[in-house]
Amino acid sequence: MDINANIESPLLLKVSFNKLVKQYEKLIANSDEHVSATAQRVLDIAKENPILVDGFSDATIFKTHEKEIKSILQDTFSPVLTKNEIKTASVPYHDFIFNASERFKSILNIAGDDFKLEMKNLPENQRYIMACTAILNFCYGYNLNVKRPLFYEIPDDDGVTRYYKILYNADFTEIIPNENAPKITQEDYDELLDNFDNIELWRKKFPPNSYTFKGFVISNIFDVTDDQSISNIKSNLIKEEKRSNSSFVEEFVEIFQSLFGLKNIKVGFSIYNEEEDTFEQIYGVGTHSYLLNDLESKLCADVLCEWSYNKLLREHDFFSVSDVDKSLTCSNDEAPHIKVLKKQGFKSAIFAPIANENGLLGILEIVSSTPKVLNSINANKLVDVMPFIIAAVERSKNEEANLIEAVIQKECTSIHPSVKWRFKKEAKNFIRHQIDGKDANFNKIAFENIYPLYGQIDIKGSSEARNWATQQDLSLQLNTLKDILKNAIEKENLPIYAQYIFQIDDFISAIDEHFQVDSEHQISNFIKIEIEPVLQHLYAANILKDEIDAYFESIDNRVNVLYHHRKNYDDTIASINKEMAALLDLKQIEAQLMYPHYFERFKTDGVEHNMYIGESITQEDTFSPIYLYNLRLWQLQIMVEMENRYYQMQSDFPIKLDVASMILVFNQPLSISFRMDEKQFDVDGTYNARYEIVKKRVDKAFVKGTQKRATEKGKITIVYSQKEDELEYLRYIKFLQSKYYLDTDVEIVELQDLQAVTGLKAIRVSVLYHKDKNDKSFYTYEDVMQEINK
């Protein structure tokens, strides 16, 4: 078999001892008789076996000349050191070994017959290029340093992976160009310098087998398991994508097994929550805390005994438990961390604090089901790896804090993506000024010459509906109490019970006849101060216990009142807001793709939204009025869709409520600025404030000369003040009528003057409804109501 078989390389490999023999030729005249005698012996072998000097690639020659090869290499592979040194003779960048020390043979023998030796950190396609760079250095005098640390990963007799570093000695090698070797020019060299990963280019400059490698390399191999384990821990902790990978923990445990030389160990982590003084499980794939076992979190004082608490949390020092059973006996079965180890079947453990100058971050937990294998001596191996673990936990804590902040911003104080660029710009300036020692102020964030759009889908009669629900609940609660007191008189005839019944009747009459804003508060105080002590007395006297239990079971613990009709009302409002907001948010994604603009919405008794569009927001010189007109049409169409969606799902709500939709048109550009105290944008300037006044008051405006509100159920109301706005929206309405979104009953009305605002008008037009998304027919509001009430 030829050693070049199944190998693609620019080097045709020939094992030769020519250069080694030449070294011995220089020693033949050495004054030391022993040295000269050894040299003569090697030269005699070489003379009798010229193939060993000329070179060969036939693998069978290693067998037929085994004795001679060993004899030639006797000085290189000293018999005295062969059981200690890890050394091989081979060809470069390949796993073909033809001579090895006894120590190396023993290591391979322990690894097992099925173990395949291969160099790590040398990708297959790079072997070819590495050989080419060796040619450039040997044959053309360049000094390219492309050396990378090469390793063997070999399991020991316990199955623990050990790492061996390979150092080549190439003193006995030659590289000779063959006839088919293209000559490498300076231009070729310069091209190759910029194309390390272009394997085809290297193959073109150095065709396969275009050079002959003649000689051998000696590999001096060293066990670097500790160093490589530390390096691997560092690498694994640095790589973000690996830490989120499901195999990360498994790989991490294997690295620790190599570091400690123990197969039967597991690695766990717990995070320290300083605010609550608790240990917590790490949220992640495969991570686990053996201190907490199956708990999510627990007070540190309940996890550790006093001594171990002080050791980890105050002294920030690690400790070991070499024999769990013995330690449990010594602690009189009271040390909680020992008990939890025993429960999980562990017999020895090491606990190390992950701490920096600011305090404890978490705990590293190493456990084994074998006693004494983890102890105070090998615990010192952690000294070299803890800095990397601390750095990784610090980074994770910062990432978690950033994620929490991002969630808070998104859910609570979100900055819309369309304007985030401006906030980033100001934040960078703020940080730069701080670093430069200047007075750092977060500058005002404002956008000028932008067009506002406002719309709302408002729940009609929400105040009346809530008052009705409150009346019903209070009446039901009072009547229940009245029945209990009537029954109490039969059991215990006290005049005070009759007096309380009289008061209850007064409250019931007041609720029915003229329910006031403070009625609820008055009744609640009466029940709490006057009636509940009576109920407690009756209960203690074992009178009407079942009725009293039933009463209190009907009381909602969160609000401490009977909460049935009001719950239906609150649930209905919450459901309406949730569904309408979700639909609007979904549609907004499409609108942003048309042209970026600022968007915000609010949930009240319904859903309101603000939009601002203009060049100062987009940061680009691309704005055109066409985008404003497009957004106005989109807004009108979406309001119709929201109306349809609401009435399609109205029957699912506990209470049947109506909605009315309104759009406010403001045709002049204005300025807005971000108010830091309120964490939201607001209009700038006295003139622009008129827009905000109209927004807040217009939905309560009446049609001029009437007591009818401008907004009306089943209709879209478009409020404006300029004739050009009227003409623009009439065009949109006509378009949507052609698509059967709107009915033909368009009316234009004047609105009653508001405080500081005059001259407003409104277009009102009925919405056409569909039973569901797939229904192509359309219905008036009256049709929909008939359908819902069937």
Side-chain angles (χ1 to χ4, degrees):
M1 183 189 76
D2 195 295
I3 62 174
N4 292 287
N6 302 318
I7 293 176
E8 185 184 45
S9 173
L11 296 174
L12 184 65
L13 300 174
K14 282 190 175 184
V15 175
S16 167
F17 302 98
N18 179 51
K19 290 197 75 172
L20 179 62
V21 169
K22 288 185 181 298
Q23 291 288 334
Y24 281 109
E25 287 176 352
K26 296 176 183 178
L27 297 174
I28 195 70
N30 194 285
S31 59
D32 188 320
E33 294 181 1
H34 177 73
V35 172
S36 61
T38 299
Q40 187 60 59
R41 176 179 57 79
V42 171
L43 293 174
D44 290 343
I45 294 171
K47 186 176 180 181
E48 294 170 7
N49 302 275
I51 193 171
L52 299 182
V53 176
D54 296 338
F56 59 93
S57 58
D58 186 350
T60 60
I61 293 176
F62 292 108
K63 191 67 177 175
T64 58
H65 290 72
E66 182 178 4
K67 182 179 178 182
E68 290 82 2
I69 291 172
K70 281 190 175 182
S71 187
I72 289 176
L73 295 174
Q74 186 173 354
D75 284 348
T76 310
F77 289 80
S78 169
V80 176
L81 300 175
T82 190
K83 291 187 178 180
N84 293 308
E85 288 185 329
I86 309 174
K87 183 183 283 189
T88 67
S90 62
V91 292
Y93 309 125
H94 297 286
D95 299 311
F96 177 76
I97 295 171
F98 59 83
N99 198 63
S101 65
E102 291 300 319
R103 173 83 183 278
F104 184 77
K105 291 177 182 177
S106 173
I107 290 170
L108 287 187
N109 185 53
I110 290 171
D113 295 336
D114 58 347
F115 174 75
K116 182 182 179 182
L117 185 70
E118 58 182 351
M119 282 181 285
K120 303 296 181 183
N121 208 28
L122 185 62
E124 189 64 36
N125 65 325
Q126 289 191 11
R127 295 181 187 230
Y128 196 102
I129 296 172
M130 296 288 280
C132 294
T133 58
I135 294 170
L136 287 170
N137 291 345
F138 268 88
C139 299
Y140 295 96
Y142 292 109
N143 187 26
L144 283 174
N145 185 359
V146 292
K147 291 181 181 177
R148 299 180 65 189
L150 302 176
F151 296 91
Y152 289 132
E153 294 179 10
I154 307 174
D156 63 12
D157 49 0
D158 291 323
V160 176
T161 299
R162 302 198 67 82
Y163 301 90
Y164 298 91
K165 189 174 183 178
I166 306 164
L167 296 180
Y168 275 157
N169 181 336
D171 290 345
F172 309 114
T173 63
E174 303 171 78
I175 297 178
I176 305 160
N178 295 335
E179 291 182 359
N180 64 328
K183 186 168 180 61
I184 302 299
T185 66
Q186 183 65 39
E187 185 179 347
D188 293 328
Y189 175 74
D190 293 341
E191 185 180 6
L192 291 168
L193 286 178
D194 294 325
N195 288 279
F196 179 78
D197 293 325
N198 188 347
I199 185 68
E200 295 306 319
L201 179 64
W202 289 90
R203 284 196 182 101
K204 179 181 177 182
K205 306 294 185 186
F206 302 93
N209 299 331
S210 55
Y211 292 79
T212 296
F213 170 88
K214 188 177 178 183
F216 66 99
V217 293
I218 295 173
S219 297
N220 294 290
I221 303 171
F222 303 92
D223 188 336
V224 292
T225 301
D226 286 357
D227 292 340
Q228 187 61 31
S229 296
I230 293 171
S231 177
N232 288 347
I233 288 171
K234 181 179 179 181
S235 298
N236 277 35
L237 290 173
I238 287 174
K239 294 179 181 177
E240 175 66 27
E241 69 277 4
K242 290 195 74 173
R243 288 189 287 128
S244 60
N245 190 288
S246 59
S247 64
F248 165 72
V249 174
E250 184 179 336
E251 294 175 9
F252 200 66
V253 171
E254 289 177 0
I255 295 168
F256 267 90
Q257 290 172 346
S258 295
L259 178 65
F260 281 86
L262 300 168
K263 186 69 174 176
N264 187 22
I265 64 172
K266 295 181 178 180
V267 181
F269 295 93
S270 51
I271 288 295
Y272 177 58
N273 184 332
E274 184 178 8
E275 293 177 357
E276 300 180 16
D277 196 31
T278 58
F279 290 132
E280 300 175 351
Q281 295 275 6
I282 294 179
Y283 297 107
V285 181
T287 53
H288 184 71
S289 168
Y290 299 106
L291 272 175
L292 295 172
N293 194 12
D294 54 356
L295 297 176
E296 287 296 318
S297 66
K298 194 173 184 180
L299 285 170
C300 299
D302 294 336
V303 174
L304 303 168
C305 66
E306 185 178 356
W307 179 87
S308 58
Y309 184 99
N310 289 332
K311 197 76 171 171
L312 292 175
L313 275 79
R314 294 188 178 138
E315 299 175 21
H316 295 165
D317 196 8
F318 59 78
F319 69 89
S320 63
V321 182
S322 63
D323 191 327
V324 168
D325 293 336
K326 182 179 178 181
S327 297
L328 198 59
T329 302
C330 293
S331 70
N332 296 320
D333 200 27
E334 291 187 357
H337 62 293
I338 308 295
K339 289 168 71 175
V340 77
L341 291 174
K342 174 76 173 178
K343 182 180 179 181
Q344 296 171 86
F346 297 123
K347 300 297 184 181
S348 60
I350 296 171
F351 298 109
I354 305 169
N356 58 17
E357 64 276 7
N358 297 320
L360 186 69
L361 302 172
I363 303 294
L364 170 67
E365 311 159 1
I366 306 173
V367 296
S368 172
S369 56
T370 306
K372 297 179 179 158
V373 296
L374 295 173
N375 49 67
S376 64
I377 296 174
N378 59 11
N380 284 277
K381 285 180 172 288
L382 294 176
V383 172
D384 295 321
V385 303
M386 288 310 293
F388 307 121
I389 294 175
I390 290 168
V393 173
E394 286 176 333
R395 187 169 58 251
S396 293
K397 284 256 185 180
N398 290 335
E399 289 169 358
E400 182 185 39
N402 291 338
L403 182 59
I404 290 171
E405 186 65 27
V407 170
I408 291 172
Q409 281 202 3
K410 181 177 184 297
E411 299 298 327
C412 306
T413 57
S414 179
I415 297 172
H416 195 263
S418 63
V419 295
K420 190 171 285 186
W421 65 271
R422 184 62 183 277
F423 284 85
K424 286 182 178 179
K425 180 181 178 181
E426 293 303 332
K428 286 180 181 178
N429 290 334
F430 183 88
I431 294 168
R432 189 179 300 115
H433 289 159
Q434 279 189 324
I435 293 171
D436 293 340
K438 298 178 182 178
D439 186 17
N441 293 306
F442 202 93
N443 294 327
K444 178 180 177 180
I445 293 176
F447 298 96
E448 298 180 349
N449 293 318
I450 58 173
Y451 293 88
L453 295 92
Y454 172 78
Q456 69 173 37
I457 182 166
D458 187 44
I459 299 170
K460 297 291 287 183
S462 57
S463 297
E464 292 83 354
R466 190 191 188 286
N467 286 342
W468 177 87
T470 303
Q471 286 175 282
Q472 296 301 307
D473 282 343
L474 290 175
S475 181
L476 181 59
Q477 187 172 359
L478 289 169
N479 277 300
T480 303
L481 291 170
K482 180 179 176 181
D483 290 341
I484 293 174
L485 291 172
K486 281 183 177 180
N487 292 333
I489 290 174
E490 295 178 4
K491 303 285 185 182
E492 188 181 28
N493 190 9
L494 298 179
I496 191 68
Y497 297 158
Q499 192 267 327
Y500 285 137
I501 292 172
F502 175 78
Q503 285 184 266
I504 289 173
D505 284 336
D506 265 358
F507 278 123
I508 292 172
S509 297
I511 290 172
D512 292 338
E513 294 173 9
H514 48 277
F515 183 75
Q516 302 291 326
V517 176
D518 63 340
S519 296
E520 181 179 1
H521 180 67
Q522 289 177 4
I523 293 170
S524 294
N525 278 348
F526 166 71
I527 293 172
K528 185 174 184 62
I529 297 170
E530 303 286 345
I531 302 301
E532 285 188 4
V534 174
L535 298 180
Q536 291 167 5
H537 160 73
L538 293 170
Y539 200 87
N542 202 24
I543 298 173
L544 304 173
K545 291 185 73 172
D546 291 341
E547 289 89 335
I548 295 171
D549 281 336
Y551 166 76
F552 279 110
E553 284 176 8
S554 70
I555 301 301
D556 190 283
N557 292 328
R558 292 170 300 169
V559 292
N560 204 32
V561 294
L562 193 145
Y563 185 58
H564 174 67
H565 293 89
R566 277 172 289 187
K567 184 176 187 304
N568 286 340
Y569 170 83
D570 290 341
D571 287 350
T572 299
I573 297 295
S575 297
I576 293 170
N577 287 345
K578 179 182 176 182
E579 294 296 335
M580 294 299 98
L583 176 60
L584 187 57
D585 289 346
L586 182 63
K587 295 296 183 178
Q588 245 295 301
I589 297 172
E590 301 172 5
Q592 290 292 340
L593 295 175
M594 298 177 194
Y595 192 81
H597 56 278
Y598 181 82
F599 169 79
E600 62 183 357
R601 60 155 176 80
F602 308 97
K603 296 177 184 177
T604 52
D605 282 352
V607 176
E608 304 174 37
H609 66 270
N610 287 318
M611 295 186 290
Y612 298 102
I613 187 169
E615 193 167 295
S616 61
I617 287 179
T618 57
Q619 201 185 6
E620 296 177 7
D621 187 18
T622 59
F623 179 72
S624 164
I626 190 67
Y627 295 118
L628 170 63
Y629 305 148
N630 180 74
L631 192 60
R632 285 175 171 173
L633 175 59
W634 173 88
Q635 181 190 35
L636 179 57
Q637 182 169 320
I638 293 308
M639 296 298 289
V640 174
E641 290 186 26
M642 291 172 70
E643 280 263 349
N644 261 277
R645 180 67 182 133
Y646 172 75
Y647 284 108
Q648 286 166 7
M649 59 196 304
Q650 191 200 47
S651 58
D652 298 332
F653 299 143
I655 296 177
K656 300 297 183 287
L657 296 171
D658 282 305
V659 295
S661 299
M662 183 199 73
I663 290 171
L664 174 61
V665 184
F666 197 78
N667 69 341
Q668 294 297 317
L670 46 71
S671 299
I672 60 170
S673 63
F674 189 77
R675 304 203 182 282
M676 296 295 179
D677 52 345
E678 298 177 6
K679 303 299 183 205
Q680 67 180 36
F681 279 98
D682 205 350
V683 296
D684 258 353
T686 305
Y687 173 75
N688 294 333
R690 180 174 180 269
Y691 173 70
E692 286 295 326
I693 294 171
V694 174
K695 264 198 334 184
K696 291 174 182 176
R697 299 175 180 171
V698 71
D699 65 324
K700 301 294 190 293
F702 292 106
V703 176
K704 200 165 190 176
T706 73
Q707 290 299 309
K708 292 183 178 180
R709 286 278 175 84
T711 56
E712 187 177 331
K713 60 187 179 184
K715 293 188 175 185
I716 299 284
T717 300
I718 303 163
V719 179
Y720 62 96
S721 62
Q722 302 297 320
K723 186 65 176 179
E724 56 263 37
D725 299 330
E726 178 183 302
L727 296 175
E728 178 184 344
Y729 274 85
L730 287 174
R731 290 199 304 271
Y732 300 154
I733 290 170
K734 188 174 182 179
F735 170 70
L736 294 180
Q737 286 171 337
S738 70
K739 296 171 70 70
Y740 299 107
Y741 275 72
L742 298 172
D743 208 342
T744 57
D745 59 340
V746 178
E747 61 174 331
I748 298 174
V749 297
E750 291 184 28
L751 302 187
Q752 208 167 57
D753 292 344
L754 303 174
Q755 184 180 350
V757 179
T758 61
L760 293 179
K761 298 176 74 175
I763 302 172
R764 302 200 302 182
V765 58
S766 295
V767 176
L768 291 178
Y769 297 94
H770 304 267
K771 290 181 181 178
D772 54 55
K773 294 178 181 178
N774 300 317
D775 183 22
K776 300 302 180 184
S777 302
F778 50 89
Y779 308 88
T780 64
Y781 172 80
E782 288 73 19
D783 295 333
V784 171
M785 288 299 101
Q786 288 180 8
E787 186 68 26
I788 289 173
N789 294 322
K790 277 183 180 179

